[in-house]
Amino acid sequence: MYNPPDYYLVDDLLTEEHKIIRSAIRDWVERSVKPVIEEAAQNHTFPLHLIKEMGKIGAFGPFIPEKYGGSGLDQISYGIIMTELERGDSAIRSAASVQTSLVMYPIFTFGNEEQRMKYLPKLASGEWVGAFGLTEPNYGSDPGNMLTHFEDKGDYFLLNGAKMWITNSPIADVSVVWAKDESGKVRGLIVEKGMEGFTAPVTKGKWSLRASITGELVFDNVRIPKENLLPNVKGLKGPLMCLNSARYGIAWGVIGAAMDCYDTALRYALERKQFNKPIASFQLQQKKLAEILTEITKAQLLVWRVGILKNEDRATPAQISMSKRNNVEMALKVARDSRQILGAMGISGDFPIMRHMMNLESVITYEGTHDIHLLITGMDITGIAAFE
Ligand code: TGC
Ligand code: FAD
């Protein structure tokens, strides 16, 4: 039975509703994710049947109002859901992050009422899968220089360009795509599966996030109906606002991966004997376990505070960057140290640690790299952007 660490009694800060949500998602991960995820990752496939189940358990759009199919919950609930999903696998949390923060959030925040009613309930239920296209082959950390663009042709927009490294693009029914208009302003377009000239090839051969489907979005003179333009935002702040929400979810999510590694390593250290003693009795292993628990505890407190600030609409993008950066690095280090505690067994698919570790190599890169988040903090401190 999974026994998550709670060294500083963070549970006391949660409401009964938070605990009920956590328990429901945890049970679902135990029942539906754990039994299939290792094989899916080994086979480099996404367990597609989980999408509708995720819709049923409320993993998509927890903070979107009920009117649109969401659950109308607070930001702490969103964070808790992300932690529990990522305890199963970062790929499962990724699917929920993209659907919630990168597809439902922009349609809810920047869309009109018709767009909200058309897309949000189907995305919330998992009937439709969403993708978010910002990164391009030549512009990753620097999306402001994107080349994808559209022209106003009177009755429709003509979209050309390509996006790369897009979670769920090959299976997406709906993609929120960021492209420049004729004046060079970044705008959001809703691109639907099957539009002529639009393809979404799969990216194969990943060693990380193997249970997540990644692909491209390629637009070759795609006619986009004018009603598919998100009317209420112009400029790079549109996609960056979506990223604030997704990065916040990741800061919570990776704690789940770290906790799963810690739980596995602690049990193993207590059971595995060398030199006639459990390896947990050796100081070097205790050092690893003690430091892991310290870092997980600090990460829990960090996201708790950001969550409260987010509930009050006071969390700044730079605060969110700090928590994403700190917690992903923490989780990656926890995974590496936990893997060592298991010795050779640490690389085996019989345990989840190596899978988490490999996944986290993507998580530390996507939604803004580790370096970019540091530079965002640097800019916040000094007022000087060191990007250029
Ligand atoms: P800059 O000139 O600084 O800013 C442009 C405009 O945006 C505003 N802004 C923000 N607004 C809201 N939230 C934020 N976090 C914002 N950051 C900036 C800014 O005020 C300005 O507004 P305005 O009105 O003056 O025009 O932009 P820059 O071109 O210098 O770039 C800044 C930088 C490097 C921080 C930014 O571009 C960045 O964050 N780069 C990283 C790119 C990134 O994170 N890509 C993620 C792609 S999506 C993804 O990875 C999904 S993974 C999916 C999964 O979970 O599976
Ligand atoms: P680059 O920007 O080329 O960076 C390469 C290196 O240079 C990095 O170490 C970076 O930190 C460093 N660097 C860059 N600029 C600077 C600077 N100014 N100062 C110092 N160092 C710098 N994108 C989407 O739009 N949608 C998705 O759904 C999505 N899903 C993804 C799923 C996966 C599995 C992965 C791996 C990526 C995904 N991405 C997605 C893309 C992701 O957001 C980008 O990979 C990321 O933003 C970095 O861009 P890049 O890979 O082009 O790296």
Side-chain angles (χ1 to χ4, degrees):
M1 186 56 198
Y2 174 61
N3 185 22
D6 185 17
Y7 206 65
Y8 269 25
L9 311 182
V10 175
D11 257 26
D12 290 359
L13 301 170
L14 303 181
T15 63
E16 275 316 301
E17 187 182 46
H18 291 146
K19 290 180 194 168
I20 291 167
I21 292 165
R22 184 179 59 186
S23 155
I25 306 289
R26 186 172 293 168
D27 287 352
W28 178 77
V29 167
E30 210 57 47
R31 206 172 53 245
S32 298
V33 177
K34 290 269 181 174
V36 302
I37 199 66
E38 178 61 29
E39 200 182 328
Q42 294 278 1
N43 294 337
H44 206 335
T45 53
F46 179 72
L48 256 180
H49 68 280
L50 295 183
I51 289 280
K52 288 233 171 72
E53 288 188 37
M54 289 172 79
K56 281 206 185 88
I57 60 165
F60 299 143
F63 56 77
I64 299 289
E66 289 175 77
K67 178 180 172 194
Y68 304 108
S71 309
L73 297 171
D74 72 347
Q75 291 291 329
I76 301 285
S77 304
Y78 176 47
I80 288 170
I81 293 170
M82 296 293 117
T83 302
E84 293 307 319
L85 295 179
E86 195 143 2
R87 187 167 73 73
D89 196 274
S90 302
I92 304 300
R93 195 270 307 137
S94 253
S97 288
V98 171
Q99 191 99 339
T100 299
S101 287
L102 300 183
V103 181
M104 295 178 72
Y105 170 85
I107 293 174
F108 173 68
T109 311
F110 310 131
N112 57 34
E113 195 57 16
E114 292 78 54
Q115 291 169 336
R116 289 171 167 189
M117 292 313 289
K118 177 173 177 191
Y119 298 106
L120 294 179
K122 289 200 167 83
L123 289 162
S125 68
E127 190 180 329
W128 282 354
V129 174
F132 175 89
L134 180 65
T135 305
E136 300 192 350
N138 291 322
Y139 298 99
S141 298
D142 179 19
N145 271 319
M146 68 174 67
L147 298 176
T148 302
H149 63 282
F150 62 95
E151 294 159 69
D152 189 336
K153 292 288 183 188
D155 295 344
Y156 57 88
F157 297 124
L158 197 64
L159 177 65
N160 278 289
K163 302 287 177 181
M164 198 179 177
W165 292 112
I166 308 302
T167 298
N168 279 347
S169 73
I171 56 163
D173 301 280
V174 175
S175 297
V176 170
V177 174
W178 299 94
K180 283 184 177 164
D181 67 13
E182 282 150 296
S183 72
K185 273 270 171 213
V186 173
R187 303 295 305 263
L189 294 169
I190 303 171
V191 181
E192 294 179 31
K193 190 184 199 159
M195 285 180 168
E196 213 180 320
F198 169 42
T199 48
V202 181
T203 301
K204 294 185 179 146
K206 291 182 311 187
W207 282 107
S208 173
L209 272 187
R210 287 174 61 84
S212 171
I213 300 180
T214 313
E216 297 167 46
L217 297 167
V218 182
F219 314 106
D220 180 9
N221 286 323
V222 183
R223 287 179 178 217
I224 308 289
K226 285 202 153 169
E227 65 262 26
N228 285 28
L229 178 77
L230 293 174
N232 298 325
V233 76
K234 277 188 191 161
L236 199 57
K237 70 171 187 252
L240 289 171
M241 282 170 68
C242 306
L243 295 181
N244 294 336
S245 178
R247 291 165 177 173
Y248 165 77
I250 289 173
W252 278 86
V254 291
I255 296 173
M259 283 180 170
D260 199 37
C261 292
Y262 170 76
D263 184 59
T264 307
L266 177 58
R267 283 166 202 271
Y268 190 87
L270 290 168
E271 280 164 19
R272 172 76 173 169
K273 287 195 175 128
Q274 289 294 287
F275 302 94
N276 303 317
K277 285 181 182 169
I279 58 168
S281 64
F282 301 123
Q283 286 184 358
L284 283 176
Q285 306 317 316
Q286 288 192 8
K287 177 175 187 286
K288 290 193 191 89
L289 291 166
E291 287 179 352
I292 288 173
L293 183 56
T294 307
E295 292 308 314
I296 289 175
T297 305
K298 283 154 65 178
Q300 281 178 296
L301 295 170
L302 203 58
V303 289
W304 167 261
R305 182 61 189 149
V306 184
I308 294 296
L309 290 174
K310 213 157 183 307
N311 274 345
E312 295 168 355
D313 210 15
R314 290 199 295 149
T316 66
Q319 286 168 338
I320 292 169
S321 278
M322 185 185 277
S323 64
K324 191 264 184 185
R325 182 176 189 273
N326 182 80
N327 288 10
V328 179
E329 184 179 46
M330 175 286 293
L332 194 48
K333 184 162 188 316
V334 165
R336 287 173 181 155
D337 288 348
S338 301
R339 199 212 64 69
Q340 289 197 50
I341 291 173
L342 268 72
M345 290 309 280
I347 70 156
S348 163
D350 290 344
F351 294 93
I353 297 177
M354 189 78 175
R355 180 165 45 79
H356 285 307
M357 189 174 123
M358 302 291 270
N359 285 341
L360 290 163
E361 290 290 347
S362 284
V363 182
I364 204 164
T365 290
Y366 68 33
E367 301 278 3
T369 67
H370 201 56
D371 296 330
I372 288 296
H373 288 296
L374 180 113
L375 295 176
I376 289 171
T377 307
M379 183 170 70
D380 203 40
I381 296 168
T382 64
I384 304 165
F387 306 111
E388 299 96 3

